[in-house]
Amino acid sequence: MTTEGTTLSARTVAARLTGFALLLVLLDAGAGRLLDAVHATVGKGQLVGEVNSAIRSRADVLVLGASTALHHYDDRALTDRLGLRVFAGGVNGRGVIFSRGLLALVAAVHPPRLVVFDVSYSDRDRTSAQLLSPFYGHDPTVTGILARDWRNRVKLASHVYRYNGLLLPMLSNRGTPPMTWGYEPLDGALPADAAPGGAPRPDDGLGPWFERELRQLVNDARRLGARIVFVESPTWGGRIGPRAMAAYERVAREMDVPFHHLTPERCPELAHATLYRDRVHLNHLGATIFTRRVADLVEQELARPAPTPVARPAPGAPR
Amino acid sequence: MARGPPMIFSSLDFVVFLLAVLFLYRLLPFRGQNVMLLAASLLFYGWWDWRYLGLLLLSALTDATASARIGSTEDAGRRRAWLLVSLSVNLGVLGLFKYLDFFVRSAGDLLGLFGLHPSLPLLHLVLPVGLSFFTFQSMAYTIDVYRRRTEVVSTFDHLRFVAFFPVLLAGPIERHEHLLEQLRRPRRVTAEHVYRGVILILWGLFKKVVIADNLAPYVDAVYGNVATHSGVSVALATYLFAFQIYCDFSGYSDMAVGIARLMGIEVVFNFQAPYLARDIQEFWRRWHVSLSTWLRDYIFMPLGGAFQEGAREWRNILVVFLACGLWHGASWTYVVWGGLHGVYMLIWRLRGKRPPRRGLKRWIAILVTFHEVLFAWIFFRAGTLAHAGEVLRALGRPGPLFHDPLLANVALPLLLMVGVEIAKDPLQLDEWLLRRRAWVTLALGLLVVALIVLFAAQSGLSFIYFKY
C-alpha cells in the first residue's frame, strides 16, 4: 500500500495529534479522579475490597501474607478469644513486597500492635504490589515500592493507569461497606488416605532483593512500634521452596524475629488430610483448629517485653 | 554474558530506543540516516544477545558475496555454485539451530520402533530470535539475483535491508525490490506518514497488550493442564487461542508497518482480517501474507506451481504447506498443522467453487473456514502430537467451564477488535479511518488508549512469532 497522494496537510495532522494528546491528558486527570472516588467506595472483593477493608479495620493484630493468610486465620474467632481487633489481611498471590505496602497503609490509620506474617513466596514477577497503585503518591512506602523502576514511574504518571486491571472488580463491588473480617473459609477436603508429599512450591526468581524486602518489612513494623512474628502455615506437602524458607530462617535469626512453624509435623492435631482443601490450604475445620494455635501464640507474643522501636531513616537515606 | 529478553515493540525500552532513532533520523542527512539505521538495527538485535549478531551478519554477508559473484559472471555453473553456497549457509544455519535436534530426536524415535535405543547426541542450542525471518529475507535476494530479477547491490545496502529493525524479529518478510528500493533513495517523511503510522502503532499495541496478553493466561492454564479441564473449557481455550495468536502476530506486524512509516518507509501488510476469509485460499491471502507469497514465489512456482495438473499440482501444494508448517518450528505438530492446511487447499481446488460474495451464504462460508483453521490451531498450540491427541479427546469431556475472572477484562476489547475488523474489511485500518470523519478516528483513538491503560496485561509477554 502506498501513501502517495497525501490528503492530509502537516497543519491538520499536527492539530489532530496535539488535540488528541491534550484530550488524553484532560481525560486522564478527570477519569482518574472519578476512579479515585469509586475506589474509595469498594469494600468487597479480593482485589480492591480486601485492601480497603484492611486499611479501615483499625486492627491491633494484623495478619499479612498470601492465600494462606487469607484462608487460615479466622480473625473473628481470634478477636473474640483475644479481646483485640484482629484482621486477616492476606491477599491471593501477594507476598513480602505487597505486605510492606499494605502495612504502611493500615498503620497510617491505626498502627497495629502485632504483625503476623504468614510466610510465602509470591513475589516472583514482582508485579504483585501493583494492586496498591491507587495509593501511589499518597503513601511514601507505597510510592517507593511502586516507583522503584523508571518504566513503572512513567506508566504511573497516568492517573488512570493506577487502576489498570481493577476497573471491573471496582465496578462490580462499588458502594459496598468494608468487610468486618478478612478471613475466607474454604470448603472441601482431601481424602482421608491422601499422603502428604509432593515437591515444594517453586521459589525461582528469588534473589538478594527478597531478603532485603523481608528485612525492610521487619524494620517497617518495628518503626511503627509493632512486634512482628513469622508463621509457617501447615500444608499437606506443599511447603514453600527451600531457598525462600532459608531466607526466612536467616532473617528471623539475624533480626530476632520469632518464627513459628505450625506444620503438621509439629502440630499433631493438624496432621490429618481431611483438614486440608488441597496440598497448600486448610479447609474451614482445619483453619478453626489452626486458629486456636495462633491465638495461643499471639497471647504469648504480646506478653513478651515490647521491642525497641527502630529509628525512622533520615530523609534521603536509601530505603 | 546474560541473555536478556528481546526489545519488544510494546516495551518502554523500545519507546526510548525509537524516539532516539527518530530524533537522529530527523537530524541526519541521507547518508547519515542510512548508517544510523544500520547501527540502530544491530543494537536492536544485539539487545537480546550480541553474540547472535554473528548469525545475522553471516547470513547477510554470505548473500551479499554470493549475489555479487553471481552478478559478475555469465558462467551458469559458477552462478549455480554461488547460489548453492547461499542456500547451504542459510539453510545450514537454520538446520543447525532450529531443526538438528528435532531430526535427531525423530531418528531416535524411529529406531525405537525397531527396538534400538542408541544414545544420540543433542545440541540443545538456543534458537536465535527472528532466525527464520531474516534468513528467508536474505536468501530471497540471492535467488532473485540468480534469476536476474533484481540487480546486485552493495554489501552495505544488503546488510541494512536484512537488518532493518522494524521487520527484523518477526517480519513482514520483505523483498529487495520493495524495501531496499526505498532504503536506497532519499525519503520524505510526510505528516500523513506520521498520522497513519501512529494509528497503526496504537492499534497493534492494543491488539498485543490488551487482547493477546490477556488471553494468554487462560489458554496456557487450560492447554498446560488439559487432563483437569472439561471439553467446554478446552473448546473455549482453542477459540481464544485463535484470537490470541492473531492479535499477537498481527499486532506486531501493524506496529512494524507503523514504525517504518514514521521514517517514511512503507512495509508490506502481513494481515487483512484473515478470519473473514470465505475459503482457505482466501485465508492464505489474508494471513501472514509475506510468508505465503514467499513460499509461492520460491517453492511453489519453481516446483511448477498450478500449471501442472493432477497429482503433480497436488504434490506441489502439499510440499508448500508442509514447508510452511516446518518453517514455524521443529515439531511434528507444526508439520501436521501445515499438512492440514495443505489438505484443506486440495479440497478447495477439487471443489473449484467461487466463494459466496454476500448474504447469509457468505457468513456461513466464513464460519466454516474459521472452524477449519481453528481445528488446525489445536496442533499448532499443542506441544506434541500426544498433547494434541489429549486435547482432541478432552473436547468431549463433560464438566463445568473453567472460570477466570481476569478474562472479563478482554471481553470489550475483543468485541471492539472484531467489530473494527468487520467494518474496515477489505481496507487496512489507517486507510479506512482516513475515509471516515475525523471524530471517528478521535473517538476510536481515545477508546483504544483508554483500554490499553486500563486493561493492558501487567507482565509484558514476548511475541509468539519471535521463536520462529
Side-chain angles (χ1 to χ4, degrees), chain B residues 70 79 83 140-150 296-299 301-302:
Chain B
I70 291 169
R79 290 170 64 85
L83 176 66
Y141 162 60
T142 310
I143 299 171
D144 283 350
V145 170
Y146 178 78
R147 291 171 171 175
R148 301 179 201 277
R149 286 186 185 167
T150 193
R296 179 196 66 198
D297 294 346
Y298 297 101
I299 299 182
M301 298 310 278

Side-chain angles (χ1 to χ4, degrees), chain B residues 394-467:
Chain B
L395 283 170
R397 188 184 298 139
L401 178 68
F402 168 54
H403 176 65
D404 181 352
L406 292 179
L407 213 50
N409 285 345
V410 88
L412 175 65
L414 200 52
L415 275 176
L416 176 72
M417 190 275 292
V418 171
V420 170
E421 290 274 293
I422 292 171
K424 76 178 176 60
D425 189 52
L427 299 175
Q428 292 293 345
L429 183 69
D430 56 329
E431 188 66 34
W432 180 71
L433 284 175
L434 274 182
R435 297 179 187 199
R436 307 264 86 76
R437 289 178 186 278
W439 70 263
V440 177
T441 311
L442 182 70
L444 184 64
L446 290 174
L447 183 58
V448 161
V449 172
L451 291 172
I452 290 172
V453 172
L454 281 168
F455 295 118
Q458 292 281 342
S459 48
L461 301 173
S462 191
F463 287 88
I464 294 175
Y465 265 69
F466 278 3
K467 63 185 176 187

Side-chain angles (χ1 to χ4, degrees), chain B residues 195-207:
Chain B
Y195 190 69
R196 286 170 177 251
V198 169
I199 287 174
L200 290 172
I201 292 170
L202 276 181
W203 185 243
L205 185 68
F206 163 72
K207 286 196 279 187

Side-chain angles (χ1 to χ4, degrees), chain B residues 256-457:
Chain B
V257 176
I259 289 161
R261 280 241 175 100
L262 297 181
M263 294 177 274
I265 295 168
E266 294 292 330
V267 168
V268 292
F269 277 98
N270 233 356
F271 293 89
Q272 177 52 58
Y275 294 145
L276 293 178
R278 295 159 298 167
D279 58 42
I280 202 70
Q281 192 206 35
E282 190 183 0
F283 175 79
W284 280 101
R285 285 180 178 165
R286 289 165 171 263
W287 178 274
H288 203 172
V289 179
S290 65
L291 176 66
S292 56
T293 51
W294 196 101
L295 294 170
R296 179 196 66 198
D297 294 346
Y298 297 101
I299 299 182
F300 187 62
M301 298 310 278
L303 285 173
F307 297 111
Q308 297 169 315
E309 289 188 349
R312 277 181 174 247
E313 184 200 349
W314 299 356
R315 180 206 63 184
N316 296 347
I317 289 173
L318 279 178
V319 166
V320 165
F321 278 99
L322 290 173
C324 179
L326 211 50
W327 178 88
H328 282 84
S331 163
W332 289 110
T333 51
Y334 292 120
V335 176
V336 171
W337 173 79
L340 270 173
H341 276 274
V343 170
Y344 294 159
M345 192 65 92
L346 287 182
I347 294 170
W348 173 83
R349 295 285 290 182
L350 287 172
R351 286 180 66 211
K353 281 174 71 176
R354 281 173 172 273
R357 294 176 68 89
R358 55 177 67 87
L360 184 63
K361 281 187 176 173
R362 173 175 174 255
W363 283 103
I364 291 172
I366 288 172
L367 276 178
V368 170
T369 308
F370 175 72
H371 282 86
E372 286 174 357
V373 172
L374 189 72
F375 179 70
W377 282 139
I378 291 175
F379 293 88
F380 193 95
R381 177 59 182 78
T384 60
L385 287 180
H387 188 199
E390 199 186 345
V391 171
L392 290 173
R393 282 192 299 278
L395 283 170
R397 188 184 298 139
L401 178 68
F402 168 54
H403 176 65
D404 181 352
L406 292 179
L407 213 50
N409 285 345
V410 88
L412 175 65
L414 200 52
L415 275 176
L416 176 72
M417 190 275 292
V418 171
V420 170
E421 290 274 293
I422 292 171
K424 76 178 176 60
D425 189 52
L427 299 175
Q428 292 293 345
L429 183 69
D430 56 329
E431 188 66 34
W432 180 71
L433 284 175
L434 274 182
R435 297 179 187 199
R436 307 264 86 76
R437 289 178 186 278
W439 70 263
V440 177
T441 311
L442 182 70
L444 184 64
L446 290 174
L447 183 58
V448 161
V449 172
L451 291 172
I452 290 172
V453 172
L454 281 168
F455 295 118

